Amino acid sequence: KIMIKTKELRVGNYVSINNGFEMLVHSILQHDTVYLDFIPPLINEADVWEEDFKNINPIQITEDILFKLGFKEKGFGDWRKNRLYLSRDSKKHFVTNGFFVEIEYVHQLQNLYFAVTGEELVFSSTEP
């Protein structure tokens, strides 16, 4: 089990909880509690709920997830969305052109995308 460091999370990040269900970070309290909600387009008619950081896991980046996040494959393992380019390194992690930062999990990609573009990276409501 891989745990996320508390300082890595932002509101809006996608994470997985211990039962494998993917969730959206709604808010972060102190250093050990997170409020989670469903990832749109799912609708939560109930309140958000608390989860301890020890029960929150990162979501591994896959090609399917890149499609859902709106990236387009440019061939040979290269992907692009707006001004952010990704390519696979020898360890099968994604690295960004110009940054050379290993990105293995969705929340890391969301945070980098926001830093580069000033926009949130969210799952598309349509499948590729």
Side-chain angles (χ1 to χ4, degrees), residues 109-122:
L109 180 57
Q110 287 179 289
N111 295 347
L112 180 63
Y113 188 83
F114 183 80
V116 171
T117 68
E119 300 172 5
E120 295 294 339
L121 184 59
V122 296

Side-chain angles (χ1 to χ4, degrees), residues 17-18 32-36 49-53 55-56:
I17 54 177
N18 279 346
D32 61 351
T33 303
V34 178
Y35 284 125
L36 301 172
W49 60 88
E50 282 185 30
E51 194 66 56
D52 191 285
F53 261 100
N55 298 325
I56 296 174

Side-chain angles (χ1 to χ4, degrees), residues 1-5 8-9 13-16 22 56-62 65-66 69 71 84 86 88 91-96 101-113 121 123:
K1 173 180 166 179
I2 298 172
M3 292 184 52
I4 296 176
K5 296 175 187 157
E8 287 183 27
L9 278 185
N13 281 153
Y14 300 132
V15 296
S16 174
E22 294 176 353
I56 296 174
N57 305 297
I59 300 170
Q60 186 81 36
I61 296 174
T62 64
I65 284 178
L66 287 175
L69 290 170
F71 280 83
L84 187 64
L86 299 174
R88 291 255 192 206
K91 296 183 225 171
K92 301 294 186 190
H93 296 155
F94 286 95
V95 295
T96 62
V101 177
E102 284 189 358
I103 302 169
E104 191 172 358
Y105 303 109
V106 172
H107 73 281
Q108 295 170 327
L109 180 57
Q110 287 179 289
N111 295 347
L112 180 63
Y113 188 83
L121 184 59
F123 280 129

